[in-house]
Amino acid sequence: MAFTLPTQTDAQTETETETETEDETVFGGERVEDYEDYWKTIDMIRLLKKSCKALGVAKKKDKGRSPWADHYCHFDAIAYGDDENEGLKQKCASLDGNLPTYKDEFEEPEGEFDKITKDNCEDFGLPADSFGEDEDPIFVPVDYEAPEEVWYQTEGEEVETETVKETFETVNRVGDATSDELLEAIEEAGMKVVWA
């Protein structure tokens, strides 16, 4: 027989066990506030990224148009910083370990959470194909209030009819008859006009 596996000695087994124990206890069982916050924030980003995709909302381009995009941008700024503030990622870079190691050691963040996985994501309105096979669960605080609407409702500015007609008449070659037609077109388009 040309190939055989070597037999491990007791010394090899002890060294491997010590290494595994050291890796598992980088934080010594002590929770670290910045890692806790970073973990929770990253999970919110993951949730909102999946939610925005399912709803057809552009995460950043629809900021100001969709509360879902606004929530995403809020958590993104907390995690990665913005022009004025350092993000949690930068704060955690100076700490021992890293977020994956922290998550492995504690398995769940502190607090009360809904745990969303590939197996139960449809119960939360997310498509099952939005989760990878080995994807970590998403921990969502039970007190998180998701937006009720996909898009903000916008309302037109109310103006008096005479103001609208006067504005039209300032345009070259627009007289009374044309301004009346334009006013009618505005009303048909659903814009509000306050009658004087």
Side-chain angles (χ1 to χ4, degrees):
M1 182 183 300
F3 176 79
T4 58
L5 291 174
T7 308
Q8 289 189 3
T9 64
D10 289 339
Q12 287 175 322
T13 306
E14 286 175 18
T15 303
E16 289 172 8
T17 304
E18 288 172 16
T19 303
E20 288 174 15
T21 304
E22 288 172 13
D23 288 346
E24 292 174 0
T25 60
V26 169
F27 303 98
E30 297 290 322
R31 299 266 183 177
V32 178
E33 185 177 351
D34 283 339
Y35 274 125
E36 285 289 319
D37 292 343
Y38 187 33
W39 185 354
K40 295 168 189 176
T41 302
I42 291 297
D43 274 11
M44 290 305 299
I45 290 172
R46 291 175 55 220
L47 170 73
L48 291 163
K49 182 177 182 180
K50 292 174 188 305
S51 300
C52 285
K53 183 176 180 181
L55 294 168
V57 172
K59 300 179 305 278
K60 294 197 176 192
K61 288 184 181 178
D62 284 330
K63 182 179 179 184
R65 295 182 57 226
S66 169
W68 290 92
D70 289 349
H71 282 222
Y72 176 87
C73 290
H74 168 77
F75 286 104
D76 185 73
I78 292 170
Y80 303 114
D82 55 24
D83 294 339
E84 296 150 16
N85 300 306
E86 178 181 53
L88 290 168
K89 180 177 182 177
Q90 290 80 17
K91 288 181 182 179
C92 290
S94 63
L95 302 175
D96 289 338
N98 56 43
L99 185 57
T101 304
Y102 188 82
K103 289 168 69 173
D104 286 345
E105 185 166 330
F106 293 101
E107 297 179 3
E108 292 188 4
E110 280 188 313
E112 292 184 38
F113 296 90
D114 288 321
K115 184 176 179 179
I116 303 176
T117 65
K118 183 175 181 68
D119 295 332
N120 71 356
C121 64
E122 289 178 329
D123 297 341
F124 294 90
L126 294 170
D129 65 356
S130 67
F131 273 80
E133 288 300 320
D134 297 327
E135 189 169 342
D136 288 344
I138 297 175
F139 295 96
V140 181
V142 293
D143 60 351
Y144 173 67
E145 293 183 24
E148 294 181 13
E149 301 293 331
V150 177
W151 304 102
Y152 290 119
Q153 299 297 321
T154 56
E155 295 183 20
E157 183 178 340
E158 295 183 22
V159 295
E160 294 182 5
T161 304
E162 284 305 311
T163 304
V164 174
K165 286 177 70 173
E166 287 170 8
T167 302
F168 290 150
E169 289 170 2
T170 63
V171 177
N172 192 20
R173 306 185 84 164
V174 176
D176 282 338
T178 308
S179 65
D180 287 338
E181 290 173 17
L182 290 171
L183 184 58
E184 187 177 322
I186 287 175
E187 291 171 342
E188 287 177 10
M191 296 180 182
K192 293 181 180 181
V193 177
V194 176
W195 299 103

